Amino acid sequence: MNTPDRNAAIWYAQDGFDPKAKGINGRRVAGESFLRGFLRHARVDEFALLAKNEREVDPVRALAAELRPDVPVRATQLLRPHRIAPVSTIFYPSPNFVAEAWRRAPHGTGAWSLCGITHTTSTAAVMQGWFDLAMGPVFPWDAVICTSRAVLASTTHTFSLIDDHFRRQFRANPPPRPMLPVIPLGVHTDDFTPSAAARVDLRAEIGAGPNDVVFATIARLTPHEKFDPLPIYIAMQKAQAQLPDRKLHIVFCGQFREDYSRKVFTEGAAKLMPDCGFHLRDGASATDRHATLSGADVFMFLIDNIQETFGLAPLEGMAAGLPLLVSDWDGMKDTVTPDVGFRIPTRMATAEHLAPEALRYHGQIDNYVQYCSNTSAMTEIDMPALTEAIFTLARNPDLRARMGQAGLARVRAHFDWAQVVPQMQDLWAEQDRIRRRETGMHRRYPTTGLPIAPSPGALFAAYPTEPAQFGPAQFAVNQGHAPLDVVLQARNYLGVGRIFADANQISAVLGAITARASARHADLVADLPKISSFDIERILIWLLKYDFIRRV
């Protein structure tokens, strides 16, 4: 049934959904994939969007017209979030939606539900975000989707630390947590169907013979924020020594952010893996990504970095019918089962050993790259197990075929967006049920009294002589005032991208006062029904500021 409680207004900004416009990273790639999956598979009567302005959602309108032309698209401005009704949930493409919780507060904390989703959770911003969520007006009808059981454990640990702090600091019970359901990311399985022609072309280009075995990785190529390639090279070289009748190749399809990373990858391969093939492809090219999956025999994703939270790329490898060789790490613990590939054991230094990294990062002594790099340095991928898995996969084409077929079946049954989107819709319906049930927890905040966004008129009330009052005051035009357009052009508010009121409204208020010779605020409200009383008062202050009018 296509009921509004199973729908969500998508909080849209290009930064969360458009890797082509804003740059490729895992969060944007996942966001773009989700958006296409939602538009394709969500059983809804409309697509509701929340954005700064309607122009920003034009790419979504175009995509919806291509994928589901029969479903209308409705956009709501961020300043008017209550207009998402009858939809009762906002989906936010990040875990920290506390700003939206505060935006909701003047409308009532139970006015609608909020739903975020985890991506990378290791940054200082996200860790501070968990604290902000706990301290903000967040309730049990809100949710943060955890994309794996490992992320759920990490998030729960952080909330437990926050709760302990709250009890010690305030000697009170901690505030309610949002729901933390586990729902994976998804892929469009059919998008990764391999091409026989592309396979032939890639293998010819890299010089891979019919008996050679190609291991491929599609990822950002940074040793400090994704994976350290040197242990892979060492294991590949050891496996190659046991396989004199075939050559092993690695194809890394990705992008280097800087020369440092390129040097680590390329010089490391030359020094540590001299007998294996080493090849690079452009991760920004859809053609290269497809060719890499088509030409590979094994998809490899050996992550040792806390920056990785789920691991979307292994699902793409499964969708291409490839066996997997991955580290036993976060999301891969859920997605990669023994029938589809090998998960290589990992070991991380203890909490005590890594406490200095947390303190150095939080204290801004180390930056994020250094934080991730040092943590990765103390994270082990079991080298004997990795070498053995490479050797086993390289010499067993039948095993590779069985695993590849099992992986394709698994991704289609569990991780295609056609399966994942309904789980998200079930969550939104559950959030709506809880919100409607727990009415005793609903409360409304005054617009002027948000503790994280107090009105400047209240926060700085002691600064001016007195607040502006309008009541019975009469306003008359100062006959010697400068031309309005000259003042607006000279002041050029739009030079900073924002003006306090529309220029046409300013002109209309000045014109109404001129027509009456003198006017009270109430007269202007009657004369200008399309301009709110609130906006008229704002404009009166500005007209007084620049001597267009005076108090009579």
Side-chain angles (χ1 to χ4, degrees), residues 392-437:
T392 300
L393 286 166
R395 69 173 185 170
N396 287 287
D398 291 342
L399 175 63
R400 297 199 301 267
R402 289 197 304 274
M403 285 183 164
Q405 291 169 4
L408 177 58
R410 178 168 171 75
V411 76
R412 193 177 295 280
H414 299 285
F415 303 109
D416 192 280
W417 282 117
Q419 313 303 325
V420 176
V421 167
Q423 296 178 54
M424 300 176 78
Q425 292 190 263
D426 289 343
L427 168 63
W428 299 334
E430 177 64 14
Q431 289 181 252
D432 188 71
R433 283 192 290 273
I434 296 172
R435 181 180 64 87
R436 293 177 183 277
R437 185 184 69 211

Side-chain angles (χ1 to χ4, degrees), residues 176-339:
R177 296 182 187 180
M179 300 169 66
L180 298 172
V182 176
I183 301 176
L185 295 176
V187 294
H188 306 285
T189 305
D190 292 339
D191 289 355
F192 301 97
T193 302
S195 161
R199 178 178 178 82
V200 171
D201 290 345
L202 180 127
R203 295 178 75 89
E205 181 181 329
I206 67 175
N211 203 37
D212 290 355
V213 183
V214 177
F215 293 76
T217 297
I218 298 178
R220 187 163 68 244
L221 302 180
T222 60
H224 42 270
E225 285 185 282
K226 202 66 173 180
F227 66 97
D228 184 343
L230 301 193
I232 301 173
Y233 298 159
I234 293 168
M236 288 287 288
Q237 182 67 21
K238 288 184 176 180
Q240 179 66 80
Q242 303 175 61
L243 296 164
D245 60 335
R246 66 201 67 190
K247 185 174 182 177
L248 305 183
H249 299 259
I250 289 181
V251 176
F252 285 135
C253 184
Q255 291 181 294
F256 296 109
R257 285 188 171 177
E258 71 294 293
D259 288 339
Y260 165 79
S261 292
R262 182 182 293 276
K263 189 174 182 180
V264 170
F265 272 77
T266 56
E267 293 187 3
K271 293 175 181 177
L272 299 175
M273 195 179 63
D275 298 327
C276 301
F278 173 76
H279 316 279
L280 297 173
R281 306 286 290 191
D282 182 9
S285 166
T287 300
D288 276 9
R289 294 196 301 270
H290 185 249
T292 298
L293 291 173
S294 297
D297 298 298
V298 177
F299 190 83
M300 182 169 62
F301 205 66
L302 295 165
I303 303 299
D304 59 359
N305 202 291
I306 55 175
Q307 183 276 340
E308 183 64 63
T309 304
F310 175 72
L312 192 60
L315 298 185
E316 298 173 357
M318 292 161 70
L322 294 174
L324 298 188
L325 175 59
V326 303
S327 50
D328 190 38
W329 192 255
D330 56 53
M332 277 87 78
K333 293 182 176 182
D334 296 343
T335 57
V336 181
T337 49
D339 57 323

Side-chain angles (χ1 to χ4, degrees), residues 507-541:
S507 178
V509 173
L510 181 59
I513 298 172
T514 303
R516 280 180 171 266
S518 69
R520 294 176 297 115
H521 171 255
D523 299 328
L524 298 173
V525 171
D527 291 346
L528 301 168
K530 292 186 178 180
I531 305 178
S532 71
S533 171
F534 177 83
D535 286 337
I536 288 173
E537 291 176 353
R538 287 161 59 95
I539 292 168
L540 285 173
I541 295 172

